[in-house]
Structures are given as C-alpha cells and as structure tokens.
Amino acid sequence: MRAVISVRPGKRLNRSPLGDLFLFLFLGAFGAFMVIPLVYTINNAFKPLDELFLFPPKFFVRNPTMDNFFDLFHLMAESWVPFSRYVFNTVFITAVGTVGHVVLASAAAYPLAKHKFPGSRLLFTVVVLSLMFSPHVTSVPNYVIMSWLGWIDSYAAIIVPAFAASLGLYLMKQFMEQIPDALLEAAKIDGASEYRIFWQIVMPLVKPAWLTLVILLFQMLWGTNGGNFIYSEELKTMNYALGQILAGGIVRAGPGAFVALLMMSVPITIFVVSQSNIIETMASSGMKE
Amino acid sequence: MKLAKHSYILMGPYMILFFLFTVLPVALSMLVSFTYFNLLEFPQWVGWRNYTRLLLEDDVFLIAIKNTFLFAFVTGPVSYLACFLFAWLINELSPKIRAFMTLVFYAPSISGNIFFIWLIMFSGDSYGYVNGFLMRTGFILEPIQWLQNEQYVLWIVMLVQLWLSLGVSFLAFIAGLQSIDRTLFEAGAVDGVRNRWQELWYITLPAMRPQLLFGAVIQITSSFAIAEVSIALAGFPSVNYAAHTVVTHLMDYGSIRFDMGYASAIATVLFGIMVGSNMLVQKLLRKVGE
C-alpha cells in the first residue's frame, strides 16, 4: 500500500504511461478506420464529374470544384414547390418532434424511475418490450389508426408518434434512477411540488441524457421522408425532395454527392454542440449522495 | 395516494400517445398473425395455421433463423463490448479531443446510408479495393465475387454491421460515464484500487449498470433486426438466401407477397426470441462488478 496518494487536479489516478500509450494507439487505429465515410462524403462532394465516374474509383479528390454545389442550387431553383418549403417542413417536423419527445418522455420517465405506484412496473416493461417488435408489420395498423384520426397527409402523422417513441422513456428512466433519493426528499421538505422537482432538479441533473436523446431524435426525424403518411408535395420533406434529385441518376451524380454532404452536416453540427454541452455540464453537476 | 396522482399526470400525455401509436398497432398486428390478410379482402381467421406453416413447412425460414442467430451471437456481443470499450477509452481523453473522437467513432451511424463505400471495397472485379490488394500481394490470382459468394457474403455483412453499430448505446455509454460521481474514483484509490482494470470492474461498471442494461436491449434489438445492410450489400434475396435474415423474410412476405398474416406471425416469433434473449442478458448483467 502506498502511504500517500497525491491527487493532482485534472489528472486521473492509477494510470501507467505505457498503458496510456498502448490504448491511445489502439484508439487512433480504429478511429481512422471508422472515419472513412465522413472523409469520403466530403471528398465526393467536391469531385468534378469525371472524377466521380473514374474507375477504379479514387478516394481523395484531386481537382476540387464547387460545380456540384452550383448545379444543386440550379436544380433547387427549378423545383415546382419552392425549395424553402421543403426546408421548412423538415426543420418544423424535426424541431417540434425532438422537443416534444424529450419533454414528454422525460416527464413520464421521472415517476417511473423515482416513485412506486400501482402499474408502474408493468408500464415500464411494456415500453421496453415494445422496442423489440418489428416496425415493418405495424405500418398497416398504424395507417388505419392515422386515417381514423384524420391525420393522413399532415405533419401530425409524423410528429405525434415521435413524441411517444419508446427509446427516450427508457433512456431517461435509466439515468434518473441514478439520482440520489435524498436530494429529492430534501427538495420536497423545502416545499417543492412534484412538477417543480421534475423540471428544476431532475432535468438539470440528467442533462447528458436528454442531450443524447436530442442527438438521436434529431437524426431520426431529419432523415424522415414522410413515410406512408404524407402525399401533398408542399408537405414533403427535404430528404424526399433531395431523393428526387438523386433519382435523376447519372446526370445528377454531382449534385447528389453534394446532397449527401448537406444532409449530413446539420446532424453533425447538432451532435458537436450537444456533445460539448454534455461534457461541460458534468464538470459542474452536484450529483452527490 | 396523493403522490400517485401527480405521477399519473406526468405520465399521462406520453402514455396515451404510446398506447395509441405503439401498443395498439402491435396488438393489432399480433391479432392479424392469426388471420389470412392480403390487404384487399377483410382478414380471414385461420387460427395457428400461419405459425405451423412457418415453423414446420418453411425451409427458407430455417435459413433465416440460422443466419439471424449467427448475426446476433457475433455482432451483438462484439458491438456491445466495442461500444463500451471505445466509450470508456474516449472518456480518458481531455475534453476537446474527447468530443472529436466521439464524432469519429459515431461517424458511420451519423452518415446514413453511406455504406455503399463497402460495395466499392468488396466489388467483385479486380478494381474492387480488396480484390486489387489481394491480387497485387499475390494471395489470389483471380478476383473473388465477394458479395455473390455464399461463403463470404454473410461475414461481410457482419463486418459492415459492426462498423455501423457504434450508435445509440455508444452515446448512452458516453453520457453514462460522464454522469459517474468523480469522488467515487478518489475513494476507490484510497481504498486500494491499483490499476485501471480494477477501477473498471469495481467502480465504473457498477456505477453504470442502468446504462449497461439499456445498451443491452438496444444491441439485442438491432442485431436481431438486421436487414437493411444485408439488402444493400447482398441484394434481396441474397444468393441462395446466404444473407437472408428473419426481417428480410418478413419484408418478403409483408411488402412483396402481401401476406400480412404470415408476416405478422414472423414478427411475433422474432419478438418472442428477442424477449427471451433479453431476459437472459439482463440476468447476466446483474452480476457485473460483484
């Protein structure tokens, strides 16, 4: 046993330099392998047409050009419905769906994680089990329910089911379980209502969890093309419209490569912002027993 | 129970929508599994016939089951461990590098259907990267039809699936590691934890048990539900059903043959398998850190 343990601020304990070196080499090697698609997509977007069809294909761009971007811009200007409409639809669906899901799922997760009441275990089990049912066969019943509600061909058909996706409730419940009960009891003794405890104590403490949920939901809704529910051209999403551009085949290969980059860059931005927030929060959180 | 009232109010909105858009469709689909339903005529009740046909008469389903179990037993545990391992290692880095490395590892699942890059790598002619490399180094003399060969295609799909699988649970683990109380590690060091492996087993893993359970469910659902990658790489149907899975079998009957009753029966059987393996895995995970 060492008699004195020196704790330097910001430094983790029990680390050997050799182990560090080995592990980081390992991380670097795998990281390089994982990042291939990002690099490839970025390179592709700036390839001139002859390089896109070069065979055997080259990974890196040699004569970068902005042609693909301008071509895409012209194609957008030609579309029947103004392109801004598609952008609005996607942004609207994604923003409302993500915010709604995070709030509703967290509100439902809090009592399930921290209170015992009749039916709580059963409700939670049903939510977890529902993750395991294949969504491919529920599309018909879902369509029937939507048409019964009169929501076919409306934003609601995409947004409202996203509010109640199973993933978020499960994730939030798992994180909320880790909050010490003593903290919540102290708040109750100080006279805070259940709703206030949820909003002002629990939610700030599980910020990493709901920021993660924002990333996941954002990505899911951003990529939606309206599924089986949306038929009017002016309600369709950017993903659908850009898919139409891609459907032009070889002629559209250049703009298509740029589309891939555009569609990817927004979720990545959201991801980077949320991630740095997750890390900052934890430095200042007071979750101690 | 005054407390219970508030609990129900908080859960109300979510639960109403959840039952309407998830539980009800699932229940309806299970009901449909006992019928013959071709989407045009009203469903006809056939009792257990879909199930007996599926389990006793359908040879292709047996192949699908075999492949799905192979996928689940290989990609499931490997990607679960990889998610945790990488999240844990990244957590040791300084904040700026950490954010960057998280992006690097999450990149494949953020970039959507970019896995067409694997089609170029495993392309069947001598211009495919893998063939080109192997021919130049002299391991093979003729290009191999990677994606048309029953021997290889399943393993290639597995490889790509693994590469794509640092997604939901990876992020949950990162957030979970961030939530661990730092003083626990200091207390551990005082109590005689010697190296990072002991720290991992006695402090980190037990503190992360909720996230580990969550990750397990996510890995089970995603590794039993493999379909998109298989279709994109191996085609649909794949050569001699070599990369056929339960979900591609389901899609075959649901969206090509319009036999919704049979498709629903497949979904219900798959559901049963997943629930069973989930119970098993959750039991194992409760032993972590003991």
Side-chain angles (χ1 to χ4, degrees):
Chain A
M1 283 299 283
R2 283 168 291 176
V4 182
I5 292 152
S6 63
V7 182
R8 270 171 297 167
K11 198 85 182 146
R12 298 287 298 273
L13 303 156
N14 298 320
R15 293 293 180 270
S16 70
L18 195 71
D20 276 355
L21 185 72
F22 171 74
L23 289 174
F24 296 148
L25 281 179
F26 176 75
L27 260 188
F30 268 95
F33 176 68
M34 299 297 281
V35 82
I36 289 173
L38 272 184
V39 180
Y40 189 79
T41 316
I42 295 169
N43 272 292
N44 242 11
F46 296 102
K47 279 180 189 168
L49 212 54
D50 56 330
E51 272 187 55
L52 275 173
F53 290 108
L54 204 62
F55 208 83
K58 287 274 175 290
F59 193 82
F60 291 105
V61 55
R62 276 181 297 186
N63 305 304
T65 164
M66 286 298 282
D67 284 357
N68 295 335
F69 171 72
F70 293 119
D71 286 352
L72 179 66
F73 205 72
H74 288 304
L75 278 171
M76 284 177 178
E78 280 168 20
S79 72
W80 181 35
V81 172
F83 199 82
S84 53
R85 182 70 206 230
Y86 296 120
V87 176
F88 170 79
N89 292 341
T90 299
V91 171
F92 181 77
I93 288 174
T94 310
V96 177
T98 305
V99 173
H101 175 73
V102 171
V103 172
L104 289 194
S106 311
Y110 165 57
L112 285 176
K114 282 296 161 193
H115 299 309
K116 292 247 173 300
F117 55 89
S120 61
R121 270 191 73 92
L122 178 74
L123 283 174
F124 178 63
T125 312
V126 172
V127 173
V128 176
L129 288 185
S130 75
L131 276 168
M132 298 178 205
F133 200 84
S134 178
H136 298 278
V137 291
T138 50
S139 60
V140 175
N142 259 324
Y143 186 90
V144 173
I145 292 168
M146 286 299 170
S147 75
W148 174 66
L149 288 168
W151 285 359
I152 296 297
D153 214 15
S154 76
Y155 294 133
I158 306 290
I159 295 175
V160 181
F163 283 173
S166 325
L167 185 78
L169 183 132
Y170 188 17
L171 184 78
M172 293 308 292
K173 192 228 169 206
Q174 295 302 82
F175 275 84
M176 287 176 180
E177 265 183 356
Q178 293 171 307
I179 298 173
D181 286 330
L183 201 64
L184 304 181
E185 272 156 35
K188 201 165 290 164
I189 291 165
D190 287 348
S193 71
E194 277 295 299
Y195 309 100
R196 204 161 151 196
I197 293 177
F198 162 66
W199 197 247
Q200 293 192 331
I201 295 169
V202 175
M203 282 305 264
L205 281 178
V206 293
K207 200 172 168 194
W210 58 258
L211 283 171
T212 305
L213 203 52
V214 166
I215 298 172
L216 294 171
L217 249 279
F218 191 95
Q219 217 183 314
M220 189 185 98
L221 289 169
W222 187 255
T224 186
N225 56 12
N228 299 323
F229 303 125
I230 289 187
Y231 297 95
S232 309
E233 194 62 34
E234 64 269 19
L235 290 182
K236 285 192 165 151
T237 62
M238 207 154 58
N239 195 6
Y240 170 85
L242 296 172
Q244 290 302 99
I245 291 179
L246 286 184
I250 293 177
V251 197
R252 302 281 167 83
F258 213 89
V259 164
L261 180 64
L262 277 186
M263 285 305 280
M264 202 173 78
S265 49
V266 177
I268 285 187
T269 313
I270 296 286
F271 175 80
V272 170
V273 171
S274 309
Q275 269 296 311
S276 54
N277 260 310
I278 289 176
I279 288 158
E280 270 168 34
T281 336
M282 289 332 294
S284 58
S285 120
M287 197 152 81
K288 282 174 193 166
E289 192 91 52
Chain B
M1 287 297 275
K2 261 198 95 181
L3 196 66
K5 193 188 84 184
H6 296 301
S7 299
Y8 291 124
I9 294 175
L10 277 169
M11 287 194 320
Y14 179 91
M15 285 300 168
I16 291 169
L17 298 177
F18 173 72
F19 271 82
L20 190 57
F21 296 115
T22 304
V23 178
L24 189 60
V26 168
L28 282 175
S29 143
M30 283 181 174
L31 199 67
V32 166
S33 76
F34 293 102
T35 63
Y36 171 77
F37 182 30
N38 58 12
L39 291 181
L40 294 173
E41 298 159 291
F42 194 79
Q44 259 180 309
W45 191 261
V46 295
W48 290 96
R49 208 173 71 200
N50 285 326
Y51 289 94
T52 51
R53 185 176 140 207
L54 181 66
L55 298 173
L56 302 175
E57 294 162 34
D58 192 340
D59 293 337
V60 179
F61 182 67
L62 289 181
I63 302 175
I65 280 276
K66 191 203 82 194
N67 288 340
T68 304
F69 272 106
L70 257 172
F71 273 124
F73 284 121
V74 178
T75 62
V78 173
S79 77
Y80 184 67
L81 289 177
C83 281
F84 182 81
L85 184 72
F86 288 127
W88 181 59
L89 290 179
I90 285 172
N91 196 46
E92 308 257 299
L93 304 166
S94 64
K96 285 229 170 68
I97 309 175
R98 186 192 305 162
F100 176 73
M101 285 309 275
T102 315
L103 174 64
V104 162
F105 279 92
Y106 192 57
S109 41
I110 225 173
S111 51
N113 29 15
I114 212 74
F115 47 72
F116 72 85
I117 185 174
W118 292 91
L119 286 174
I120 302 172
M121 293 191 77
F122 286 104
S123 158
D125 46 43
S126 50
Y127 292 121
Y129 289 133
V130 176
N131 276 336
F133 175 77
L134 288 178
M135 282 164 75
R136 199 174 315 154
T137 47
F139 280 103
I140 54 173
L141 295 175
E142 281 176 10
I144 295 176
Q145 296 278 328
W146 295 105
L147 300 169
Q148 264 74 50
N149 189 318
E150 285 178 50
Q151 248 183 308
Y152 302 120
V153 67
L154 191 66
W155 299 101
I156 293 172
V157 176
M158 273 185 198
L159 179 75
V160 177
Q161 186 68 37
L162 277 177
W163 174 74
L164 276 170
S165 65
L166 292 184
V168 178
S169 11
F170 176 65
L171 287 188
F173 289 163
I174 296 241
L177 284 163
Q178 289 295 316
S179 311
I180 299 176
D181 188 350
R182 295 274 155 261
T183 53
L184 279 179
F185 295 111
E186 284 158 31
V190 174
D191 286 345
V193 167
R194 295 277 170 68
N195 53 43
R196 70 174 91 217
W197 306 107
Q198 283 186 350
E199 185 182 286
L200 175 69
W201 185 253
Y202 291 111
I203 302 171
T204 312
L205 284 176
M208 273 187 62
R209 195 167 293 146
Q211 284 82 19
L212 291 177
L213 293 172
F214 172 81
V217 171
I218 299 299
Q219 290 305 325
I220 287 170
T221 44
S222 59
S223 49
F224 274 104
I226 288 174
E228 267 80 23
V229 177
S230 165
I231 291 174
L233 292 176
F236 184 40
S238 44
V239 180
N240 228 344
Y241 296 112
H244 204 57
T245 66
V246 174
V247 175
T248 58
H249 200 55
L250 186 162
M251 288 159 96
D252 186 1
Y253 281 91
S255 41
I256 296 176
R257 304 185 205 206
F258 291 119
D259 190 345
M260 291 312 291
Y262 198 62
S264 298
I266 298 173
T268 309
V269 169
L270 181 65
F271 177 68
I273 294 173
M274 284 197 207
V275 172
S277 17
N278 182 44
M279 276 158 49
L280 207 75
V281 170
Q282 304 272 333
K283 225 173 226 169
L284 283 175
L285 281 177
R286 284 182 206 283
K287 296 209 191 323
V288 160
E290 274 172 5

